């Protein structure tokens, strides 16, 4: 294959993958870091981050969080009246976006509340970083802008103090250890 036909072969391959050119390949692969946030940073992931975009950490603005696949569920919590609908990306997807690997995710809130969540919880439960409550963005007063929440009503095991304690509202940072 000549260099010119080799290039044409790869461009055809990229086009077959839905990629316009070899230059877009990096943005579609698992090893590419998330783009740097354009807006105000609302979440930083530190520690064992494989795809940093701000020094050694991965920072996200709300648009970046909203651009990830969104999941919704309705559940009751000890902090709300009645069942409420939460929407946001799965924690495992956010961690994957940052290339995070570890055994524990320490969730840290705006008021410095800290709780350790087993990394495995993100893999085995539909644990989300809720950004919407009943379809509306959450203010700090409403436990936002991000709330790490389990789908408590989906499994009797989750309706326990253990999982309630692992929830963190007004989430600001995740440390992966």
């Amino acid at each position: 294959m000549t260099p010119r036909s080799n290039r044409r072969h790869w461009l055809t391959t990229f086009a077959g993958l839905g990629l316009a050119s070899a230059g877009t390949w990096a943005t579609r692969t698992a090893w590419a870091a998330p783009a740097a946030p354009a807006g105000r940073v609302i979440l930083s992931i530190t520690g064992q981050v494989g795809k940093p975009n701000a020094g050694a950490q991965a920072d996200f603005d709300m648009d970046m969080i909203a651009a990830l696949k969104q999941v919704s569920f309705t559940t009751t919590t000890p902090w709300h009246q009645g069942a409420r609908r939460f929407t946001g990306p799965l924690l495992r997807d956010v961690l994957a976006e940052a290339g995070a690997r570890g055994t524990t995710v320490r969730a840290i809130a705006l008021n410095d509340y800290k709780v350790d969540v087993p990394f495995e919880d993100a893999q085995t439960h539909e644990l989300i970083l809720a950004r919407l409550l009943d379809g509306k963005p959450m203010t700090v007063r409403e436990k936002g802008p991000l709330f790490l929440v389990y789908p408590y009503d989906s499994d009797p095991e989750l309706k326990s103090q253990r999982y309630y304690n692992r929830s963190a509202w007004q989430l600001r940072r995740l440390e992966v250890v």
Side-chain angles (χ1 to χ4, degrees), residues 3 6 14 16 20 25 49-50 55 74 80 101 108 115-116 139 151 167:
N6 190 28
F14 286 129
W25 176 251
V49 174
T74 300
H80 298 92
R101 299 273 186 248
I108 302 167
V115 64
D116 288 344
T139 65
S167 297

Short mmCIF file of all heavy atoms in Angstrom, two decimals, residues 3 6 14 16 20 25 49-50 55 74 80 101 108 115-116 139 151 167:
data_model
loop_
_atom_site.label_atom_id
_atom_site.label_comp_id
_atom_site.label_asym_id
_atom_site.label_seq_id
_atom_site.Cartn_x
_atom_site.Cartn_y
_atom_site.Cartn_z
N PRO A 3 1.73 5.28 0.70
CA PRO A 3 1.30 6.16 1.78
C PRO A 3 -0.05 6.82 1.50
O PRO A 3 -0.88 6.96 2.38
CB PRO A 3 2.42 7.19 1.88
CG PRO A 3 3.63 6.48 1.36
CD PRO A 3 3.10 5.55 0.29
N ASN A 6 -2.76 4.18 1.82
CA ASN A 6 -2.85 3.83 3.23
C ASN A 6 -3.66 4.88 3.98
O ASN A 6 -4.53 4.56 4.78
CB ASN A 6 -1.45 3.70 3.83
CG ASN A 6 -1.48 3.09 5.21
OD1 ASN A 6 -2.39 2.34 5.53
ND2 ASN A 6 -0.48 3.42 6.01
N PHE A 14 -12.08 5.29 9.38
CA PHE A 14 -12.61 6.26 10.34
C PHE A 14 -14.03 6.67 9.97
O PHE A 14 -14.89 6.77 10.82
CB PHE A 14 -11.73 7.52 10.42
CG PHE A 14 -10.44 7.30 11.14
CD1 PHE A 14 -9.24 7.68 10.58
CD2 PHE A 14 -10.42 6.72 12.40
CE1 PHE A 14 -8.05 7.50 11.24
CE2 PHE A 14 -9.23 6.53 13.08
CZ PHE A 14 -8.04 6.91 12.50
N GLY A 16 -16.17 4.91 8.38
CA GLY A 16 -17.04 3.78 8.70
C GLY A 16 -17.38 3.70 10.18
O GLY A 16 -18.39 3.16 10.57
N ALA A 20 -15.12 11.68 11.31
CA ALA A 20 -14.86 12.48 10.12
C ALA A 20 -13.41 12.38 9.67
O ALA A 20 -13.12 12.39 8.50
CB ALA A 20 -15.22 13.94 10.38
N TRP A 25 -10.44 10.93 16.07
CA TRP A 25 -10.27 9.65 16.73
C TRP A 25 -9.97 9.82 18.21
O TRP A 25 -10.55 9.14 19.05
CB TRP A 25 -9.16 8.87 16.03
CG TRP A 25 -8.85 7.57 16.69
CD1 TRP A 25 -7.75 7.24 17.39
CD2 TRP A 25 -9.67 6.40 16.71
NE1 TRP A 25 -7.81 5.97 17.85
CE2 TRP A 25 -9.00 5.43 17.44
CE3 TRP A 25 -10.92 6.10 16.20
CZ2 TRP A 25 -9.52 4.16 17.66
CZ3 TRP A 25 -11.43 4.84 16.42
CH2 TRP A 25 -10.74 3.89 17.14
N VAL A 49 -6.85 9.42 38.91
CA VAL A 49 -7.53 9.89 37.70
C VAL A 49 -6.63 9.60 36.51
O VAL A 49 -5.50 10.08 36.45
CB VAL A 49 -7.83 11.41 37.81
CG1 VAL A 49 -8.41 11.94 36.51
CG2 VAL A 49 -8.75 11.68 38.98
N GLY A 50 -7.12 8.81 35.58
CA GLY A 50 -6.33 8.44 34.41
C GLY A 50 -6.45 9.39 33.24
O GLY A 50 -5.64 9.36 32.33
N GLY A 55 -4.52 19.89 35.24
CA GLY A 55 -3.42 19.41 36.07
C GLY A 55 -3.56 17.92 36.27
O GLY A 55 -3.69 17.17 35.31
N THR A 74 -37.38 7.51 40.19
CA THR A 74 -38.19 8.11 41.24
C THR A 74 -38.01 7.26 42.48
O THR A 74 -38.11 6.02 42.43
CB THR A 74 -39.66 8.15 40.82
OG1 THR A 74 -39.76 8.94 39.63
CG2 THR A 74 -40.54 8.77 41.90
N HIS A 80 -36.70 14.17 51.87
CA HIS A 80 -37.75 14.78 51.06
C HIS A 80 -39.12 14.23 51.45
O HIS A 80 -39.21 13.09 51.91
CB HIS A 80 -37.53 14.51 49.56
CG HIS A 80 -36.26 15.06 49.02
ND1 HIS A 80 -35.08 14.35 48.98
CD2 HIS A 80 -35.97 16.27 48.49
CE1 HIS A 80 -34.14 15.09 48.45
NE2 HIS A 80 -34.65 16.26 48.14
N ARG A 101 -9.93 4.99 38.65
CA ARG A 101 -9.87 3.60 39.10
C ARG A 101 -9.43 3.61 40.56
O ARG A 101 -8.54 4.34 40.94
CB ARG A 101 -8.84 2.80 38.30
CG ARG A 101 -9.14 2.73 36.83
CD ARG A 101 -10.07 1.57 36.55
NE ARG A 101 -10.25 1.41 35.13
CZ ARG A 101 -11.39 1.63 34.51
NH1 ARG A 101 -12.43 2.03 35.18
NH2 ARG A 101 -11.49 1.45 33.22
N ILE A 108 -17.10 14.58 48.71
CA ILE A 108 -16.91 15.74 49.57
C ILE A 108 -17.87 16.83 49.13
O ILE A 108 -17.91 17.22 47.96
CB ILE A 108 -15.45 16.24 49.49
CG1 ILE A 108 -14.50 15.11 49.90
CG2 ILE A 108 -15.26 17.47 50.37
CD1 ILE A 108 -13.06 15.36 49.57
N VAL A 115 -17.81 11.45 52.89
CA VAL A 115 -18.28 10.08 53.07
C VAL A 115 -17.56 9.20 52.05
O VAL A 115 -17.34 9.61 50.91
CB VAL A 115 -19.82 9.98 52.92
CG1 VAL A 115 -20.28 10.34 51.53
CG2 VAL A 115 -20.30 8.59 53.32
N ASP A 116 -17.17 8.02 52.51
CA ASP A 116 -16.52 7.06 51.63
C ASP A 116 -17.55 6.11 51.04
O ASP A 116 -18.36 5.52 51.76
CB ASP A 116 -15.46 6.26 52.40
CG ASP A 116 -14.23 7.08 52.74
OD1 ASP A 116 -14.06 8.17 52.14
OD2 ASP A 116 -13.45 6.66 53.60
N THR A 139 -30.89 23.86 43.41
CA THR A 139 -30.10 24.92 44.01
C THR A 139 -29.36 24.34 45.22
O THR A 139 -29.65 23.22 45.66
CB THR A 139 -31.00 26.08 44.49
OG1 THR A 139 -31.84 25.58 45.54
CG2 THR A 139 -31.84 26.64 43.35
N PRO A 151 -30.88 4.69 44.12
CA PRO A 151 -32.30 4.44 43.86
C PRO A 151 -32.87 3.58 45.00
O PRO A 151 -33.11 2.39 44.87
CB PRO A 151 -32.28 3.68 42.53
CG PRO A 151 -30.98 2.94 42.57
CD PRO A 151 -30.02 3.84 43.31
N SER A 167 -24.83 8.75 50.76
CA SER A 167 -25.31 9.80 49.88
C SER A 167 -24.67 11.13 50.28
O SER A 167 -24.37 11.34 51.45
CB SER A 167 -26.83 9.92 49.97
OG SER A 167 -27.42 8.72 49.53
#
